[in-house]
Amino acid sequence: MGRSPCCEKAHTNKGAWTKEEDDRLIAYIRAHGEGCWRSLPKAAGLLRCGKSCRLRWINYLRPDLKRGNFTEEEDELIIKLHSLLGNKWSLIAGRLPGRTDNEIKNYWNTHIRRKLLNRGIDPATHRPIHAPLSDFTITFAERAKKDVGILQREEEKSNSSSSEESSSWQQYKQPDLNLELSISLP
DNA sequence: AACAGAGGCAACCGCAAGACT
DNA sequence: CAGTCTTGCGGTTGCCTCTGT
């Protein structure tokens, strides 16, 4: 017998979460905090696999999620980060407080791709469509870094004026927007 | 009003990395 | 060091809602 499956396939619910399941998960994490996803379902009385619980919490139930529409500034930041990082959604999400990798990935695939195509830019390469191959990649990446620097300063300005604390859960206090882009790609 | 197709999004799956024993 | 386990990631799926006819 090999490794046990990450999810107990039998007796687990799948698909959309019910209000009751959400409530159980929220209550459990409120009481015990995050961690040990594998044992959480049993401990919380949920007929779900740990992965499913983690996903539900991270992408939907966490109290520090921003939700709602993306701003134009977020759009541009995502585009620039994607030009630097590629499909590293978790890294990109790390620089957008209150947004999740799944949300950004979905938003990219549904909105931003189209937006770039409309601009005549290939969303995969961030190069103009039909442009001859050249050293454009490098120059664009350099430009993107510069632009992100500008965005960062603008974000810092706007952040410093708004200090509203919406969540009472101190552990989920949103981190300051980290736009330091001295990224070393693998 | 009814239907079909498109779009949007939550959730699943498989895999890889890192932690643990 | 090797094998096992858990977590996290990215790609993908499929259901639900919206929009056009």
Side-chain angles (χ1 to χ4, degrees):
Chain A
M1 189 160 154
R3 53 191 285 185
S4 61
C6 79
C7 303
E8 185 56 57
K9 296 290 180 189
H11 312 114
T12 55
N13 296 336
K14 288 175 76 171
W17 280 63
T18 66
K19 178 79 170 59
E20 288 70 29
E21 287 177 312
D22 281 351
D23 289 344
R24 271 182 190 270
L25 183 55
I26 291 168
Y28 183 86
I29 293 178
R30 267 191 183 145
H32 301 94
E34 282 181 44
C36 204
W37 294 109
R38 185 165 164 77
S39 60
L40 183 147
K42 200 175 177 185
L46 285 161
L47 295 173
R48 290 273 177 177
C49 74
K51 257 178 150 176
S52 180
C53 295
R54 177 186 163 273
L55 203 70
R56 183 64 178 168
W57 174 256
I58 298 283
N59 287 325
Y60 198 80
L61 299 175
R62 255 167 52 198
D64 59 335
L65 291 179
K66 194 180 279 183
R67 311 205 65 78
N69 296 337
F70 282 75
T71 65
E72 191 60 35
E73 287 71 28
E74 285 176 312
D75 277 19
E76 294 305 317
L77 183 55
I78 291 167
I79 292 167
K80 288 181 172 68
L81 287 169
H82 187 274
S83 75
L84 293 166
L85 302 166
N87 293 0
K88 301 292 178 190
W89 305 115
S90 62
L91 281 176
I92 294 172
R95 292 171 187 281
L96 286 138
R99 302 296 189 185
T100 70
D101 53 0
N102 204 41
E103 189 180 15
I104 292 171
K105 178 172 60 183
N106 283 335
Y107 188 64
W108 176 272
N109 287 327
T110 54
H111 295 85
I112 298 187
R113 275 171 55 84
R114 215 170 29 241
K115 189 170 176 174
L116 290 179
L117 288 170
N118 287 340
R119 290 180 187 174
I121 294 171
D122 180 348
T125 62
H126 294 265
R127 293 195 189 108
I129 294 164
H130 304 317
L133 291 175
S134 65
D135 57 354
F136 184 81
T137 313
I138 294 164
T139 55
F140 185 86
E142 289 302 319
R143 215 194 80 199
K145 277 189 184 178
K146 251 166 124 179
D147 291 349
V148 171
I150 293 164
L151 269 173
Q152 176 182 8
R153 285 190 289 280
E154 286 172 354
E155 282 280 352
E156 280 166 356
K157 263 189 268 174
S158 60
N159 277 0
S160 62
S161 57
S162 65
S163 59
E164 188 186 335
E165 182 59 71
S166 57
S167 167
S168 60
W169 302 16
Q170 286 304 314
Q171 77 187 96
Y172 295 110
K173 190 171 187 299
Q174 289 189 0
D176 293 336
L177 196 63
N178 175 12
L179 292 174
E180 174 52 49
L181 280 176
S182 51
I183 293 157
S184 52
L185 293 168

